[in-house]
Amino acid sequence: MPQQRPLGPFTVSAIGLGCMNICHAYGPPVPEAQAERLLLAALDDGVTHFDTAALYGFGASETLIGKVLAPHRHRFTLASKCGMQGVDLKGDGQLVRVIDGRPETLRATCEASLRRLRTEVIDLYYLHRWDKQVPVEESVGALGDLVRAGKIRAVGLSEVSAATLRKAHAEYPISAVQTEYSLWTRNPEIAVLDACREIGAAFVAFSPTARGFLAIDLDPQAFDAKDIRRAMPRFTPAHWAANQRLLPAYRALAAEVGCTPAQLSIAWLLHKAPHILPLPGTGHVDHLLENNRADGVRLSADVMQRLEALINQHTVSGNRYSEQSNREVDTEVFA
């Protein structure tokens, strides 16, 4: 049986499945039949934590999960997100990404998500981004109202600082925080990991394989035109060569441990703290099964120390986000 960890009031597989890749962000959506096989394979392999968002594919991810997994709804914990979605601003049918944390928008987004997901309740509902034009207490208060209305069961936040987390938690209990965390993105170690532990919230680590950098051979020049990594400094020529130089020693450590590079990156997170839940995403069943086996990898204190000395905020070249994306998040950054 896969390792289990608490996710707010729920107990789920320690390794979940992020459902962005199937329709959004890293190029064209995977074929629907392939995505269906992936979701069912995850369920059959013991994954009980599925994570999506209204933003992903502008509803396409939620729609697919509803179509494929609704008959199995009792077998898994369902997480989704609001506060960042596609909006037709010009009335021409072209959706653009908008951050909107107003209570009325969050309520409407939730209703639309429930219809797409074909469920009566979403287990864990995140504020995908804090809309800095709206006090976080107002947005979280609206999510608390959705809990009381029986639309959702627990509230989460994504990409927030420890200070914002505490403000939000004072308004309504926060069950989980989701933020990018991997060997090459260590920002949560500044404050929010400790803040989660203090308030009893789970920490869900998305992009645990460093957006594929620690998992597979990548060629940023071959990325699809719509691949979001094209806008991320670490994948640009100015930084890519320096970052690639970290990989031979990293892969040698994986071979020493007896696991794949992807499994090593996920296992590192599992060893960091019991309230951390890695959330890898993929469009391929073989990668899914490979990722899930990471919960059986055992790392010694020596290997942990060597990994962290090799890949950290001082050895990785470039910011994780563009200037625009950095303005949209509230996470702490290293000096």
Side-chain angles (χ1 to χ4, degrees), residues 212-269:
F213 173 73
L214 297 175
I216 57 177
D217 287 322
L218 295 176
D219 177 7
Q221 298 302 312
F223 285 165
D224 183 84
K226 293 184 178 180
D227 192 312
I228 62 173
R229 291 173 294 186
R230 283 191 171 274
M232 295 177 177
R234 292 175 181 177
F235 293 97
T236 62
H239 300 288
W240 181 245
N243 290 329
Q244 272 197 307
R245 287 196 286 270
L246 300 171
L247 288 176
Y250 174 76
R251 290 171 176 169
L253 270 172
E256 178 183 326
V257 170
C259 66
T260 69
Q263 289 167 346
L264 183 61
S265 65
I266 296 168
W268 174 78
L269 283 164

Side-chain angles (χ1 to χ4, degrees), residues 181-189 268 308 311-313 334:
Y181 186 33
S182 68
L183 278 163
W184 90 335
T185 296
R186 307 285 281 277
N187 305 60
E189 296 174 3
W268 174 78
E308 293 176 12
I311 303 178
N312 58 61
Q313 68 272 19
F334 289 102

Side-chain angles (χ1 to χ4, degrees), residues 25 43-44 134 144 261 286:
L43 199 63
D44 288 343
V134 180
D286 57 342

